[in-house]
Amino acid sequence: MTSALPSVLDLAPVVPVVVIEDAADAVPLARALVAGGLPAIEVTLRTPAALDAIRAIAAEVPDAVVGAGTVIAPAGVADAVGAGARFLVSPGWTESLLAAMNASGVPFLPGVSTTSEVVALLERGVSEMKFFPAEAAGGVPYLKSLSGPLPQARFCPTGGVSLSSAPSYLSLPNVGCVGGTWMLPADALAARDWARVESLAREAAGLRSH
């Protein structure tokens, strides 16, 4: 991978996973997260506004490192990178999706939930992954058990991770960061309460792995 970003896992302890319904909210939301100390922002490709949101953040929030999440097809890779995404995250992977992400020129975290998937990615030269859905797939005990036989694999656990559980994940040697939504409560987003988002982001940014 050739990119100015050496590793998505080392940008911040927490990567906010953002679902944006209105692209007009993208810039103020991103500014609040960055001000709170969370520069890496994963905008999920789950809404029609997602690509416009990525485009706006890339253009107007220079301190943000905006990425695209829920990338599930090769076409999504091209669309996301074309919009300005600087990293890619998928909930799972296939050979064609992995090839597209590998050729994109930006860092990527393919999703895994089993040991066999981790081994398959390591075999293909990929050592940084998203562990999803983290809580449902075994959580902290599962990842801890992987660190012995597969120490070269590093993870961003996402899915059910909370402010209270994040420190346990971040204490593991094979976890670089976690993905979460708790700093983006629905009522704050609906009210466009960016000050509250910034405050919650600052609390999340204070979590450290060591």
Side-chain angles (χ1 to χ4, degrees):
M1 292 180 291
T2 301
S3 173
L5 290 180
S7 173
V8 181
L9 299 181
D10 298 325
L11 292 172
V14 180
V15 176
V17 180
V18 184
V19 179
I20 294 180
E21 302 288 349
D22 183 348
D25 292 337
V27 168
L29 175 57
R31 285 177 175 154
L33 291 170
V34 170
L38 299 180
I41 302 169
E42 177 188 333
V43 177
T44 65
L45 301 182
R46 301 181 197 175
T47 68
L51 290 175
D52 285 338
I54 291 171
R55 205 170 282 117
I57 294 170
E60 299 183 46
V61 191
D63 291 335
V65 180
V66 64
T70 322
V71 179
I72 57 173
V77 171
D79 289 345
V81 174
R86 295 173 61 189
F87 65 91
L88 305 168
V89 184
S90 70
W93 64 278
T94 64
E95 294 291 355
S96 59
L97 178 57
L98 190 67
M101 291 194 294
N102 199 34
S104 69
V106 301
F108 58 92
L109 297 174
V112 296
S113 61
T114 69
T115 307
S116 293
E117 290 170 320
V118 176
V119 172
L121 284 177
L122 291 173
E123 188 178 81
R124 289 158 176 78
V126 178
S127 61
E128 298 188 345
M129 313 167 196
K130 172 181 180 173
F131 180 59
F132 177 84
E135 287 290 291
V140 171
Y142 192 97
L143 284 176
K144 188 175 183 179
S145 69
L146 288 184
S147 65
L150 302 170
Q152 64 273 53
R154 294 180 74 216
F155 301 94
C156 174
T158 306
V161 180
S162 65
L163 178 64
S164 60
S165 65
S168 296
Y169 282 103
L170 291 168
S171 70
L172 298 176
N174 55 351
V175 169
C177 64
V178 300
T181 60
W182 73 84
M183 72 298 299
L184 303 160
D187 56 343
L189 298 185
R192 294 177 169 81
D193 186 350
W194 309 128
R196 184 175 169 209
V197 171
E198 180 181 337
S199 176
L200 291 169
R202 185 169 291 107
E203 184 180 31
L207 300 173
R208 288 291 181 267
S209 57
H210 301 293

